[in-house]
Amino acid sequence: MEEKYESLALEQAEGVLTLTLLGPGKGNAMGPAFWDELPRAIEAISAMDEVRVVVIRGSGDHFSYGLDLNQMMPRMAAMIGDPQQTDRRQELVTMIRQMQSGFQKIHESPKPFIAAVHGWCIGGGLNLISAADIRLCSADAKFSLREAKLAITPDIGGLQWLPRIVGEGVTREMAFTAGDYDAAFALRTGLVNHVFDSPEQLFHEAMAMAQTIAENAASAVQGAKNVLNYGMGKGIEEGLQYVADLNSSQLQLPDFSEAMQATAERRKAAFNKKISRGY
């Protein structure tokens, strides 16, 4: 039976799953339910053979206000105190690692994730989209890595993924100033691939992109994500050997034979609708 979530809504059609942030805090703020549910939801989505692409979006007027401090304080309050108290520090480490796990699972999932951002995308929201494969936004979107204003170092993935997306200098500016940045800045720095005039156009175009990806051979799409993830921090030669090894098996899959046959017959290829495991 499909699990029901308080902070997330899942809707699947034609190989595309839409994952919508629901809050329940204002602005889809990320409270206890979100941090508990996201890792389980991503694990479930990654195991759905019929899902080929995932679109993440927010409900209402914003993507996410980020961490819901009011809702999280009961969990955190008992752990905050003397930094020399080893037990409390370890409890905080355990909590942070658990919070990191949902975003890490997005990064590691074989499915490509498209983040469609409208309105505010603050703190945890920005960390979340940095774990996605592709980011799009509407012209009203605003981005902020605001943790420094709360005496927190961003600790749920943004400082690891953002330098690979926007570069070290832009990441350091955003993290050190905790400033607010608009859609034009996001496009100029490469944080997003495209900016659309309205949230409605954003969601339409995000779904159109997802459907385009879903029509391609799933083995090739997830193979590309696998190779790109593997190559992080490695040299060119390692990456070349890895993709050669991967393709030595991938090119024996039915999808490749179908692609060759469809090309010869001048028709659209009919690829397997389910993702094969192992890429």
Side-chain angles (χ1 to χ4, degrees):
M1 181 180 296
E2 184 176 312
E3 182 175 354
K4 300 297 182 184
Y5 303 100
E6 179 185 358
S7 66
L8 308 166
L10 280 59
E11 182 179 355
Q12 191 266 330
E14 299 181 355
V16 179
L17 185 142
T18 301
L19 177 64
T20 303
L21 309 182
L22 301 178
K26 182 179 179 182
N28 305 316
M30 299 168 171
F34 173 84
W35 300 110
D36 291 344
E37 292 174 352
L38 184 68
R40 299 201 306 271
I42 301 303
E43 282 188 358
I45 292 167
S46 294
M48 295 177 184
D49 290 341
E50 68 277 13
V51 173
R52 299 156 72 87
V53 189
V54 182
V55 174
I56 306 178
R57 55 164 291 178
S59 60
D61 296 330
H62 303 283
F63 183 79
S64 177
Y65 283 175
L67 182 69
D68 191 331
L69 278 174
N70 290 332
Q71 291 296 316
M72 290 298 292
M73 277 310 298
R75 287 193 182 188
M76 301 171 66
M79 305 178 198
I80 298 171
D82 186 347
Q84 301 305 315
Q85 294 187 26
T86 305
D87 289 347
R88 287 185 176 180
R89 291 188 63 191
Q90 187 54 52
E91 288 176 19
L92 279 167
V93 168
T94 299
M95 185 182 73
I96 292 167
R97 292 295 288 173
Q98 192 278 329
M99 293 169 71
Q100 293 170 345
S101 66
F103 298 169
Q104 180 70 1
K105 289 177 189 295
I106 290 172
H107 171 73
E108 293 175 346
S109 173
K111 322 285 185 181
F113 280 73
I114 300 171
V117 180
H118 72 301
W120 279 106
C121 181
I122 301 172
L126 185 51
N127 282 262
L128 189 162
I129 69 168
S130 71
D133 299 287
I134 298 168
R135 286 154 297 279
L136 312 172
C137 77
S138 53
D140 70 330
K142 293 185 178 64
F143 304 85
S144 182
L145 203 60
R146 199 170 289 181
E147 285 88 339
K149 291 181 186 269
L150 302 173
I152 301 172
T153 297
D155 58 6
I156 45 178
L159 297 185
Q160 285 65 52
W161 289 305
L162 281 172
R164 305 175 188 276
I165 300 166
V166 300
E168 287 280 348
V170 173
T171 301
R172 289 168 190 259
E173 176 186 336
M174 296 180 77
F176 299 167
T177 66
D180 300 336
Y181 298 89
D182 62 14
F185 173 90
L187 183 63
R188 185 172 67 252
T189 59
L191 178 60
V192 300
N193 291 12
H194 306 284
V195 177
F196 300 100
D197 290 340
S198 67
E200 292 74 22
Q201 185 185 11
L202 164 69
F203 301 139
H204 174 79
E205 295 296 339
M207 291 302 295
M209 179 182 287
Q211 288 163 358
T212 297
I213 293 171
E215 290 175 359
N216 290 328
S219 56
V221 171
Q222 64 180 357
K225 179 169 179 175
N226 185 327
V227 171
L228 287 165
N229 283 359
Y230 177 83
M232 288 183 169
K234 297 183 177 67
I236 297 295
E237 175 57 30
E238 271 188 279
L240 290 172
Q241 184 61 56
Y242 185 79
V243 72
D245 292 341
L246 183 145
N247 257 2
S248 68
S249 59
Q250 183 168 289
L251 293 180
Q252 298 178 47
L253 296 174
D255 275 347
F256 181 67
S257 298
E258 166 60 14
M260 295 300 97
Q261 187 70 23
T263 299
E265 297 174 0
R266 298 184 179 182
R267 61 173 173 82
K268 185 176 181 179
F271 295 123
N272 184 2
K273 294 300 182 184
K274 291 188 177 182
I275 291 183
S276 58
R277 305 293 176 85
Y279 288 94

